[in-house]
Amino acid sequence: MSAEPANPVATVRAVLPSLTPAAQSIARIILDDPGLVVRSTITEFSAVSGTSEATIVRTARALGFAGYSQMRFALAAAVAKEPERLVPGDLAPDDPLTDVIAKVARAESEALADTAAQLDPDQLGEIVQAISTARRVDVYGVAASGLVAADMSQKLLRIGLSSHPFSDAHLALTSAALLKDSDVAVAISCSGETPDVLVPARTAAEAGALIVGITNNPRSSLAGMAHHTLVSAGRETAFRPGALASRISQLLIVDCIFVGLAQRTYDRADAAIRATREATDRYRAR
């Protein structure tokens, strides 16, 4: 069996869409109140959740644990490090703005911490190496992920790399079909199931390009087809849709890639940054 998840709360949130309906109901209880699991035996949790003990065990195994006890101990260790996670913190319609600020800040902080914990430095290094030598880098994303795609492309352009963002599926397909094995395509999708991202990424893969996926769901279609998958974390609530909640963690991944590239290609990146800064300074001085 593979190693148990290092961050159980982030893992539950990430794989939630790929679980069965019964497992999803249990997973949502875990996300809403992980302390309930920590305090409950499997018999007690079965009564509270209205599900059978067998279903609970199957769900624990689907989440990467040997059983309920192992999941319970992992959650206990996680919340011991951050006890505030025992307290539900969803935004409510009648929350005063002081609470809104605190809850949003906490959600953003947790998303960043969860994403950083899941990033594999070795895999990140392989991605940085591939992009640093790529002839061209396509970045696909729509809606909130499209904003992240645009941010990544402008960062790469700033250090002298040829990169273009695509939020239109037809334009993305046109570019993807012309990629080669010396190119990289970065596909960004919170769910990992966005057709306007998946189809260009699949076309790019067929053309021979290396595919990098950035997604919340490590069991998604995007994760399944990508050569490298980087998992972002973000909690969905009534006032914070999944794509919006994930944007900050997607940007963290993009920034890590960018800094790694700037380090690996320091002389070229430094010269490019200075040249672009001088150009913009001259424009502002007009």
Side-chain angles (χ1 to χ4, degrees):
M1 174 177 290
S2 60
E4 292 182 353
N7 190 320
V9 175
T11 298
V12 173
R13 188 174 299 126
V15 303
L16 179 64
S18 62
L19 298 175
T20 64
Q24 284 187 4
S25 66
I26 293 172
R28 288 193 177 96
I29 295 173
I30 295 171
L31 292 176
D32 289 341
D33 190 1
L36 174 65
V37 181
V38 174
R39 298 188 299 269
S40 304
T41 64
I42 189 170
T43 302
E44 292 168 338
F45 187 65
S46 174
V48 171
S49 64
T51 56
S52 69
E53 293 185 14
T55 299
I56 294 171
V57 171
R58 284 196 297 270
T59 300
R61 289 174 177 169
L63 295 172
F65 299 97
Y68 178 76
S69 295
Q70 289 74 17
M71 181 176 73
R72 184 183 178 193
F73 294 149
L75 285 168
V79 297
K81 296 177 182 177
E82 299 178 83
E84 69 276 7
R85 290 203 180 198
L86 286 168
V87 182
D90 284 353
L91 290 162
D94 57 351
D95 277 347
L97 288 178
T98 51
D99 287 358
V100 169
I101 294 169
K103 289 181 178 181
V104 170
R106 186 177 123 192
E108 302 287 11
S109 176
E110 288 179 358
L112 290 173
D114 289 347
T115 300
Q118 296 176 101
L119 282 177
D120 180 350
D122 292 335
Q123 184 180 52
L124 188 66
E126 292 178 16
I127 293 169
V128 166
Q129 173 61 27
I131 294 177
S132 70
T133 58
R135 179 186 68 103
R136 191 168 105 203
V137 181
D138 274 8
V139 191
Y140 312 131
V142 298
S145 295
L147 300 175
V148 178
D151 180 77
M152 182 172 190
S153 276
Q154 69 88 15
K155 280 184 167 67
L156 298 185
L157 184 63
R158 190 76 191 271
I159 56 174
L161 297 174
S162 178
S163 178
H164 302 280
F166 296 96
S167 58
D168 179 275
H170 288 193
L171 291 175
L173 280 167
T174 300
S175 182
L178 298 175
L179 294 181
K180 302 181 183 302
D181 58 9
S182 57
D183 300 325
V184 173
V186 180
I188 306 173
S189 169
C190 175
S191 67
E193 302 294 345
T194 309
D196 286 7
V197 173
L198 283 177
V199 177
R202 189 172 294 114
T203 301
E206 292 169 353
L210 181 86
I211 310 301
V212 176
I214 299 177
T215 179
N216 269 34
N217 187 355
R219 299 181 185 176
S220 62
S221 298
L222 176 57
M225 67 177 291
H227 298 99
H228 296 288
T229 299
L230 299 174
V231 180
S232 55
R235 183 176 183 179
E236 181 174 354
T237 71
F239 293 96
R240 292 171 55 79
L244 180 61
S246 298
R247 187 184 63 224
I248 187 70
S249 52
Q250 291 173 346
L251 288 170
L252 170 64
I253 291 173
V254 167
D255 282 352
C256 288
I257 293 173
F258 170 75
V259 173
L261 284 165
Q263 290 177 322
R264 189 175 293 267
T265 62
Y266 181 79
D267 291 339
R268 181 179 70 185
D270 182 59
I273 289 173
R274 284 190 284 105
T276 55
R277 182 183 295 121
E278 290 170 3
T280 55
D281 286 346
R282 287 195 302 271
Y283 176 78
R284 284 195 295 266
R286 292 173 59 187

